């Protein structure tokens, strides 16, 4: 792979690759796949270590950096202090001088011809195209039904504008102020950026390059932790209006059902304490019915192993109140949130 290659008989389209990372075990495979991909290599690779500074052991990067081979001399390592992927990508963007910036997550593996295909995607971009999205492939087990966690990861293959593999014109990113750093998790920060790019008059299209996104191991409580994203949805509502779901082509989720289930459960407890057993029983029945429907909707498509069913039952009880709490706290926290450019200015 060489940075002096050409595509279609003309000068190639220069690009940088920015990879935010917590230096997980997947990083070495990510960089190895990038190194092995055929085609014109990136002008620069910016690896952004987003571990909290006291935990940032520099030796942990030795192996991932060693797999880069000749690309090592084009690679810089920056630190963003554990402020989340949006801030980490902005840190990487600040060091980019190439006309295009391609973002990769540290748990993906680009395809064998990714560099060739990326350069072709960028060369074919019309002047009003601000970004070109890669095609994400999520391998699932073939011998059994996927688990709830695996199905959630597989949804990335259909998601719009995810930064697992997304290339933006560098000038466009700077025009809109980069990523909104108030999104501190890997959730909605990509959709928010894309909507601001579209609002600025640019187009975003899907390219032909393919990147593999394996399903990483997760604890049985992963779906419960994901409910924190409901606070990010509250920020999206504040920034992009009540129809942001449609604008971002995002599923609406079950937050209204979760709120109803939570209200029924709270009412059952309150009515019991107030000495109104019949009303409490009615509210409790509503809570039980809603919880059962939610659990069954998650259990039915899965492998239905003992571990999976147990996990779905437990988390289906806990998710509605957790989701409701995070949504309400997000609505309160972001109730006066200004546009990101006003914050970043």
């Amino acid at each position: 792979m060489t940075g002096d290659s050409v595509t279609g008989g003309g000068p190639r389209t220069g690009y940088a690759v920015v990879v935010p990372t917590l230096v997980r075990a997947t990083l070495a495979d990510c960089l190895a796949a990038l190194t092995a991909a055929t085609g014109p290599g990136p002008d620069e690779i910016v690896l952004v270590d987003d571990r909290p500074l006291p935990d940032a052991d520099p030796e942990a990067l030795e192996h991932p950096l060693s797999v880069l081979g000749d690309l090592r001399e084009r690679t810089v390592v920056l630190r963003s202090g554990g402020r989340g992927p949006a801030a980490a990508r902005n840190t990487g963007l600040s060091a980019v001088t190439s006309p295009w910036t391609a973002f990769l997550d540290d748990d993906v593996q680009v395809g064998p011809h990714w560099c060739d295909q990326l350069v072709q995607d960028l060369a074919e971009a019309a002047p009003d195209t601000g970004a070109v999205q890669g095609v994400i492939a999520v391998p699932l087990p073939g011998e059994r039904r996927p688990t709830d966690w695996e199905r959630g990861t597989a949804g990335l293959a259909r998601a719009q504008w995810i930064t697992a593999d997304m290339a933006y014109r560098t000038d466009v990113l700077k025009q809109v102020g980069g990523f909104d750093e108030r999104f501190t998790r890997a959730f909605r920060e990509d959709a928010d950026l894309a909507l601001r790019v579209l609002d600025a008059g640019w187009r975003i299209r899907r390219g032909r390059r393919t990147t593999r996104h394996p399903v990483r191991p997760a604890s049985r409580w992963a779906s419960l932790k994901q409910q924190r994203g409901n606070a990010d949805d509250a920020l999206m509502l504040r920034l992009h209006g009540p129809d942001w779901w449609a604008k971002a082509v995002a599923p609406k989720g079950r937050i209204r059902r979760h709120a109803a289930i939570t209200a029924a459960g709270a009412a059952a407890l309150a009515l019991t304490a107030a000495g109104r057993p019949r009303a409490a029983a009615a509210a409790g029945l509503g809570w039980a019915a809603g919880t059962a429907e939610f659990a069954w909707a998650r259990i039915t498509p899965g492998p239905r192993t003992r571990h999976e069913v147990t996990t779905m039952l437990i988390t289906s009880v806990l998710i509605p109140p957790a989701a409701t709490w995070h949504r309400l706290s997000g609505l309160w926290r972001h109730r006066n949130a200004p546009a990101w450019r006003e914050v970043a200015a």
Side-chain angles (χ1 to χ4, degrees):
M1 189 168 63
T2 170
D4 298 324
S5 300
V6 296
T7 300
R12 75 178 184 88
T13 303
Y15 67 96
V17 171
V18 173
V19 183
T21 182
L22 294 174
V23 196
R24 298 182 288 189
T26 56
L27 177 60
D29 290 338
C30 173
L31 298 181
L34 178 61
T35 303
T38 62
D43 299 330
E44 49 198 332
I45 298 174
V46 186
L47 191 63
V48 186
D49 183 349
D50 194 43
R51 293 174 296 173
L53 291 177
D55 301 330
D57 178 8
E59 293 183 2
L61 280 170
E62 288 182 5
H63 173 57
L65 290 173
S66 71
V67 307
L68 285 168
D70 293 341
L71 286 178
R72 177 65 182 91
E73 62 187 27
R74 304 185 199 176
T75 303
V76 296
V77 178
L78 304 177
R79 289 189 167 82
S80 50
R83 295 182 291 128
R89 294 190 190 103
N90 284 346
T91 298
L93 175 63
S94 68
V96 170
T97 59
S98 302
W100 287 87
T101 301
F103 295 104
L104 294 175
D105 286 349
D106 71 351
D107 57 352
V108 304
Q109 299 160 14
V110 300
H113 307 293
W114 186 84
C115 294
D116 261 333
Q117 293 169 337
L118 171 64
V119 170
Q120 190 67 31
D121 283 344
L122 303 184
E124 293 174 354
D128 64 344
T129 296
V132 185
Q133 178 178 347
V135 176
I136 302 298
V138 180
L140 293 175
E143 72 282 2
R144 59 165 173 79
R145 294 180 178 182
T147 64
D148 181 69
W149 174 253
E150 290 166 341
R151 293 194 305 274
T153 303
L156 297 175
R158 304 183 298 274
Q160 291 275 15
W161 315 316
I162 60 171
T163 42
D165 179 355
M166 188 71 169
Y168 277 95
R169 292 187 189 271
T170 304
D171 287 346
V172 169
L173 289 170
K174 294 178 178 178
Q175 174 189 342
V176 301
F179 289 87
D180 188 333
E181 298 179 11
R182 293 170 295 186
F183 292 93
T184 57
R185 287 169 290 275
F187 190 68
R188 301 302 189 207
E189 84 289 357
D190 44 13
D192 167 74
L193 172 64
L195 289 179
R196 285 186 283 118
V197 168
L198 293 171
D199 287 344
W202 296 92
R203 292 193 305 145
I204 300 175
R205 73 173 186 85
R206 188 178 293 269
R208 288 193 289 265
R209 67 190 187 278
T210 300
T211 290
R212 186 172 177 265
H213 193 307
V215 181
R216 68 178 186 272
S219 79
R220 73 189 318 170
W221 309 112
S223 59
L224 186 61
K225 294 178 181 178
Q226 285 183 316
Q227 302 313 308
R228 297 171 183 171
N230 282 283
D232 300 308
D233 285 349
L235 180 55
M236 290 290 288
L237 176 65
R238 169 65 184 174
L239 297 175
H240 301 287
D243 62 341
W244 75 264
W245 303 93
K247 294 177 183 177
V249 197
K252 259 196 167 183
R254 300 175 65 103
I255 187 60
R256 291 186 178 180
R257 294 187 188 184
H258 290 333
I261 292 170
T262 302
L269 294 175
L271 289 168
T272 298
R276 300 176 60 186
R278 290 186 179 180
L285 183 61
W287 172 86
T291 301
E293 184 277 328
F294 179 41
W296 184 243
R298 301 171 71 208
I299 292 170
T300 302
R304 305 188 197 180
T305 61
R306 178 178 296 181
H307 181 274
E308 177 74 359
V309 171
T310 302
T311 299
M312 295 300 98
L313 289 174
I314 296 172
T315 55
S316 294
V317 171
L318 299 175
I319 282 175
T324 303
W325 166 256
H326 287 298
R327 172 57 66 88
L328 291 174
S329 64
L331 288 171
W332 175 258
R333 186 164 65 252
H334 302 304
R335 65 192 184 282
N336 296 317
W340 170 241
R341 292 189 66 177
E342 297 177 35
V343 178

